[in-house]
């Protein structure tokens, strides 16, 4: 049975307590494992946990206090001034909007508490009832351990879905008794610790023309990068596609030295090294490191013996764990140079394009633009005409679509490319998922369908936000291991103001089938060297996946020997061996996305099992 002593396994976390005497038992349990405490103006424990020096900044003024945890430009003096200006907890909105960066905001105003993360979901807020009061945290496992609750096996089965995002089903924490505060909302706690969720953000209508949107995106990205580079002599950055190239170029404009990292590939279509070299040569103060292709580990490599920092428990499975060895190889030059912060272009793909589902709305609002986009997408992806017209006839209510998705979980995917003009891609479960697990997932989806609402009234915007949230989830989870290397993994595309600037642009301007990321090209003109600004679409490197599976097949199959998922009745080991051990060219579907999720859940269970058996190792590491 999980218990608070296992908080020693969690390397970095914080919990927020109400300003109430009834929070004393929870505070006492937490402080036994929390080396840091920030007090309410009343003197009661407010924020407790384990975090690196400088990761949380607080200001106080009379009966008010304000804290930021994450990346921002606000020092304690500015937070003191902001705390003094607060009259109610809702006043914190003005300060949050005026502060660039990515952070949790925590306010204590005259005995009332407000906690919020970021609208992308990169910084999350969880809540749970502990000894009769609501406690908030940035990690779900912290609250579960405090409440003596373990993982919910049905929720773990949901994370085996392909694709792995299905709002709101996959957003529910895998831990029993823990709830996620929606990314567009904040959590309010009154003086008695009674909770209330308040919606604080709504996505902008995508109506801004390209030229105007490019100016806003350029300003937001520049501020976001400045929030990371300001006052630093050295920073590092990925340098590969246009997304990371833009961040690297923005960072190189000032006095900060930039260590740029590019991974070479054996894929003949991958031109990252060529384009990165062109960019680095044109920028000042950039030290370019290329990781040779022969030094890049394969996908699925090293899964049996995860080494520090990947062996430490995350609060939910991370699909990117299959790539962990490759990610570590890419940032190794940055770690060796002592970079404190590494810029990554994650989120750019989701934010700087627009979902095909926007075609539906465009055909009604701006028919000519909608028809042009539809024709371009159909030609680009080979959509069958009949299926395209069928999907365009009517869009069911979101709850009805969810119920239909539950009915199709184990049906084979269509044999040819099909448009994605429903609420999202149809989720499916791989053949290695047991019938019992599939039934549990169906039951959960159908239960949610009764009350589920989309993330936005505009269908395309819902799809954009859903994809952005899933990308943010991956970066959130990998940020913990990065921090244990001494490196803050920084993803400016997930900053609130950057998200707003990009989402507000008209979808037909953001997505033009024969132009690569036109919004970012327009925004970065004059910042990214002209030679690298108009590169064609980046190669996805997809030819590496089957080769990586063949090369690491024995290790991958060994991972599922005595599978923990199998012990829980969620995975059929024989089916996994048959499919992954057989000829890949005979598979009727692309199995890798589903395999990523199976690997994520299996390694997550094993990591918690190992960590619980050796609870002192996490806290002992510097």
């Amino acid at each position: 049975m999980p218990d608070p002593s296992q908080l020693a396994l969690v390397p970095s976390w914080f919990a927020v307590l109400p300003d109430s005497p009834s929070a004393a038992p929870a505070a006492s349990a937490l402080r036994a494992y929390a080396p840091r405490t920030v007090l309410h103006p009343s003197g009661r424990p407010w924020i407790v946990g384990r975090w690196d020096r400088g990761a949380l900044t607080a200001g106080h003024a009379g009966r008010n206090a304000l804290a930021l945890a994450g990346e921002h430009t606000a020092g304690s003096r500015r937070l003191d001034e902001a705390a003094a200006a607060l009259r109610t907890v809702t006043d914190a909105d003005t300060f949050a909007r005026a502060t660039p960066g990515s952070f949790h905001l925590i306010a204590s105003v005259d005995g009332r508490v407000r906690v919020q993360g970021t609208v992308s979901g990169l910084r999350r807020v969880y809540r749970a009832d502990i000894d009769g009061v609501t406690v908030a945290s940035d990690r779900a496992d912290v609250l579960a351990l405090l409440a003596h609750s373990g993982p919910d096996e049905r929720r773990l089965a949901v994370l085996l879905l392909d694709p792995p995002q299905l709002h709101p089903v996959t957003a529910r924490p895998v831990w029993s008794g823990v709830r996620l505060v929606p990314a567009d909302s904040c959590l309010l706690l009154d003086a008695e610790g009674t909770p209330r969720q308040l919606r604080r953000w709504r996505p902008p209508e995508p109506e801004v023309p390209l030229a105007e949107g490019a100016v806003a995106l350029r300003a937001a990205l520049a501020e976001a990068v400045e929030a990371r580079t300001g006052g630093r002599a050295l920073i590092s950055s990925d340098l590969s596609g246009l997304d990371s190239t833009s961040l690297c170029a923005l960072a190189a404009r000032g006095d900060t030295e930039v260590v740029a990292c590019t991974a070479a590939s054996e894929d003949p279509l991958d031109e990252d090294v060529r384009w990165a070299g062109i960019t680095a040569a044109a920028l000042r103060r950039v030290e370019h490191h290329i990781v040779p292709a022969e030094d890049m580990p394969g996908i699925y490599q090293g899964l049996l013996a995860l080494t520090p920092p990947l062996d430490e428990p995350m609060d939910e499975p991370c699909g990117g764990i299959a790539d962990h060895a490759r990610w570590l190889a890419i940032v190794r030059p940055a770690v060796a140079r002592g970079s404190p912060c590494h810029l990554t272009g994650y989120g750019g793909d989701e934010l700087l394009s627009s979902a095909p589902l926007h075609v539906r709305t465009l055909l009604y609002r701006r028919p000519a633009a909608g028809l042009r986009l539809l024709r371009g997408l159909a030609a680009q992806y080979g959509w069958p005409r009949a299926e395209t017209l069928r999907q365009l006839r009517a869009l069911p209510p979101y709850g009805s679509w969810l119920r239909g998705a539950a009915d199709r979980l184990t049906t084979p995917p269509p044999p040819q490319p099909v448009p994605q003009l429903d609420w999202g891609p149809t989720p499916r479960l791989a053949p290695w998922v047991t019938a019992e697990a599939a039934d549990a997932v169906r039951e959960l989806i159908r239960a949610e369908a009764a009350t589920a609402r989309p993330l936005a009234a505009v269908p395309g915007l819902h799809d954009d936000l859903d994809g952005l949230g899933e990308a943010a989830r991956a970066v959130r989870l990998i940020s913990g291991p990065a921090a244990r290397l001494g490196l803050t993994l920084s993803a400016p595309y997930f900053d609130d103001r950057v998200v707003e600037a990009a989402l507000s642009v008209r979808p037909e301007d953001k997505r033009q089938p024969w132009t690569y990321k036109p919004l970012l090209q327009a925004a970065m003109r004059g910042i990214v060297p002209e030679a690298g600004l108009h590169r064609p679409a980046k190669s996805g490197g997809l030819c590496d996946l089957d080769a990586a599976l063949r090369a690491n097949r024995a290790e991958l199959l060994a991972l599922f020997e005595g599978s923990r998922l199998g012990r829980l009745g969620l995975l059929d080991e024989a089916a996994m061996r048959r499919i992954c051990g057989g000829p890949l060219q005979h598979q009727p579907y692309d199995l890798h996305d589903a395999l990523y999720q199976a690997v994520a859940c299996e390694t997550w269970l094993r990591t918690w099992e190992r960590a619980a058996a050796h609870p002192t190792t996490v806290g002992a590491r510097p």
Side-chain angles (χ1 to χ4, degrees), residues 12-27:
S12 178
W13 56 275
F14 68 79
V16 181
L17 298 157
D19 192 1
S20 169
S22 58

Side-chain angles (χ1 to χ4, degrees), residues 170-548:
T170 53
R172 308 302 187 201
V174 72
W175 299 90
S176 299
V178 180
R179 298 172 63 183
L180 174 68
V181 177
D184 62 7
S185 300
C186 61
L187 177 66
L188 305 178
L189 303 175
D190 67 16
E192 286 72 43
T194 305
R196 182 166 66 96
Q197 289 180 186
L198 175 69
R199 187 165 186 180
R200 65 178 184 89
W201 182 82
R202 295 182 186 275
E205 284 290 327
E207 298 291 344
V208 175
L210 178 66
E212 181 182 342
V215 172
L217 178 64
R218 178 188 181 113
L221 271 178
E223 276 195 330
V225 172
E226 173 62 25
R228 278 78 174 184
T229 58
R232 285 186 165 127
L234 177 71
I235 200 171
S236 55
S237 176
D238 290 336
L239 183 56
S240 53
L242 185 57
D243 304 335
S244 59
T245 296
S246 298
L247 300 179
C248 184
L250 283 166
R253 291 198 305 169
D255 296 328
T256 302
E257 184 176 359
V258 180
V259 175
C261 305
T262 305
S265 171
E266 295 178 352
D267 182 352
L269 297 179
D270 192 326
E271 294 188 304
D272 277 357
V273 170
R274 173 175 169 251
W275 288 103
I278 291 171
T279 300
L283 295 174
R284 55 188 290 268
R285 302 183 66 80
V286 170
E287 176 186 312
H288 191 200
H289 292 260
I290 299 172
V291 183
E294 58 270 21
D295 292 346
M296 286 295 296
I299 300 169
Y300 307 121
Q301 186 169 327
L303 293 173
L304 274 178
L306 291 177
T307 56
L310 271 301
D311 62 335
E312 294 169 354
M314 302 177 186
D315 68 348
E316 65 177 354
C318 174
I321 202 72
D323 293 339
H324 78 279
R326 296 173 62 82
W327 177 79
L328 289 174
I330 292 171
V331 300
R332 191 167 291 125
V335 174
R337 285 284 280 110
S339 170
C341 177
H342 187 81
L343 300 174
T344 176
Y346 282 117
D349 286 339
E350 293 76 14
L351 190 63
L352 298 168
S353 185
S354 57
L357 190 52
H358 278 286
V359 165
R360 283 184 170 277
T361 308
L362 276 178
L363 287 171
Y364 288 100
R365 293 184 178 179
R366 293 186 289 278
L371 191 58
R372 281 195 302 272
L373 182 57
L374 178 61
R375 285 172 172 167
L377 291 172
Q380 186 177 19
Y381 296 113
W383 290 347
R385 180 186 180 90
E387 176 63 16
T388 302
L389 292 175
R390 187 195 69 79
Q391 288 195 23
L392 282 172
R393 284 195 189 104
L395 184 67
Y398 189 68
S400 299
W401 179 82
L402 275 181
R403 283 190 290 272
D407 295 337
R408 297 188 294 273
L409 285 181
T410 55
T411 59
Q416 73 275 351
V418 294
Q420 298 292 345
L421 300 175
D422 286 329
W423 283 105
T426 299
R428 286 184 167 83
L429 291 169
W432 52 69
V433 177
T434 64
E436 294 77 13
D439 287 341
V441 175
R442 283 192 195 95
E443 182 181 340
L444 287 174
I445 295 175
R446 288 168 181 158
E448 294 281 8
T451 57
R453 298 291 181 270
L455 292 166
V458 178
L461 201 51
H462 160 84
D463 209 9
D464 290 340
L465 290 169
D466 203 22
L468 187 68
E470 182 58 28
R473 168 187 277 181
V475 177
R476 171 184 176 267
L477 292 170
I478 208 70
S479 293
R484 298 296 283 173
L485 294 172
L487 195 66
T488 296
L489 186 62
S490 187
Y493 287 106
F494 294 117
D495 287 13
D496 286 5
R497 303 290 80 79
V498 177
V499 169
E500 288 180 345
L503 290 182
S504 66
V505 176
R506 296 186 305 195
E508 67 268 36
D509 289 342
K510 286 171 62 178
R511 185 163 197 151
Q512 300 171 9
W514 316 120
T515 305
Y516 185 56
K517 296 186 178 174
L519 174 60
L520 189 59
Q521 285 192 27
M524 290 295 105
R525 192 163 290 118
I527 295 177
V528 171
E530 194 67 22
L533 189 61
H534 302 294
R535 69 172 287 184
K538 175 180 166 64
S539 163
L542 294 179
C543 67
D544 289 342
L545 290 172
D546 284 354

Side-chain angles (χ1 to χ4, degrees), residues 14 16 46-47 56-57 65-70 72 79 82 86 88-99 102-109 113-118 123-125 136 185-188 200 496:
F14 68 79
V16 181
W46 175 33
I47 309 170
L56 186 146
T57 309
L66 187 63
L68 300 184
H72 54 87
L79 286 168
L86 297 177
T88 69
V89 288
T90 57
D91 294 341
D93 277 320
T94 301
F95 175 79
R97 293 192 63 83
T99 305
S102 172
F103 47 82
H104 285 92
L105 181 145
I106 311 161
S108 176
V109 182
V113 172
R114 172 175 176 155
V115 191
Q116 68 190 52
T118 55
R123 298 187 186 272
R124 292 184 170 190
V125 177
S185 300
C186 61
L187 177 66
L188 305 178
R200 65 178 184 89
D496 286 5

